[in-house]
Amino acid sequence: SANREAVGAFDKALEALIRIPKTRKNLEKAIDLRLNLRNALFLLGEFGRIHNCLSEALSIAEDLKDSNRLRRVWNLQISYFALTGEPDRVLELGERALALKIDTADPGADIVTQNYMGIAYHITGNYFRAIDLLKQTIATVDQETTRYERFGTSTVLSVSCRNWVVQSLAQTGAFDEGINFAQEGIQIAEKANHPYSLAYINCSLGFLLVLKGDLNRAVEVLQRC
């Protein structure tokens, strides 16, 4: 969680890359460094730098015709546009990402795309569509080998999917089902020992409890968050 220190280290690595030959291997590193830098910037809330970082990574991935890395960049752009209030761009990029043919080197790509599309459906008020897509994604990611994976993002993906299922269920009044998903997410985040994911799922549970009217319990959960 030392994200400020991580940003400094990634910046130095990118500066070093400028001084060495632009081989394919080094250009691949230039993409990977920017994607890792994005995660640290995301947790610091530095969205202006995220936009530049992803734009640079996208340009290199397109030049290399690297479909795996292109897909990863698109996924993180999807997250960016969801957070900056551009859900139409999220859904457009999501459909393009799902249609992109890639090999099995990045098995979590579809999971990440579907999670971010579920968020976009939630943001646009399509709660039932969000619930259906995110439940499908949870069923896919909820294997012992993948349940605690982040797949190149900032959050444990099985927890992130549950965050938005919980919030969408809350908006439709399905409070008990939402609480069950939240409790599962809390257990996963605790076992993964990932503070950001744990805070995130407690926030979603607190949101649900506020809508339910269980304010005393909401305060307890949100204080924990």
Side-chain angles (χ1 to χ4, degrees), residues 156-176:
V156 177
L157 256 293
S158 65
V159 178
S160 180
C161 290
R162 284 173 168 85
N163 288 325
W164 295 97
V165 162
V166 170
Q167 293 196 33
S168 292
L169 288 168
Q171 294 282 15
T172 63
F175 299 121
D176 290 343

Side-chain angles (χ1 to χ4, degrees), residues 56 67 70 83 92 96 103 109 113 151 156 161:
E56 292 166 358
S67 60
L70 181 60
L83 289 167
E92 176 194 351
R96 287 171 64 189
D103 59 34
T113 305
F151 298 109
V156 177
C161 290

Side-chain angles (χ1 to χ4, degrees), residues 162-163 165-170 173-185 201 204-205 208:
R162 284 173 168 85
N163 288 325
V165 162
V166 170
Q167 293 196 33
S168 292
L169 288 168
F175 299 121
D176 290 343
E177 186 180 7
I179 290 170
N180 289 336
F181 274 108
Q183 290 172 340
E184 291 172 0
I201 190 65
S204 294
L205 177 57
L208 178 148

Side-chain angles (χ1 to χ4, degrees), residues 38 54 68-81 90 93-94 97-98 102 106 108-117 151 153:
R38 173 267 175 197
L54 293 178
N68 281 297
R69 286 178 171 83
L70 181 60
R71 176 70 174 275
R72 290 180 62 202
V73 174
W74 278 351
N75 278 340
L76 294 180
Q77 283 188 319
I78 288 168
S79 171
Y80 173 82
F81 290 129
V90 171
L93 267 180
L98 291 174
I102 62 172
D106 194 2
D110 281 352
I111 292 170
V112 176
T113 305
Q114 289 164 355
N115 175 59
Y116 289 145
M117 290 181 72
F151 298 109
T153 73

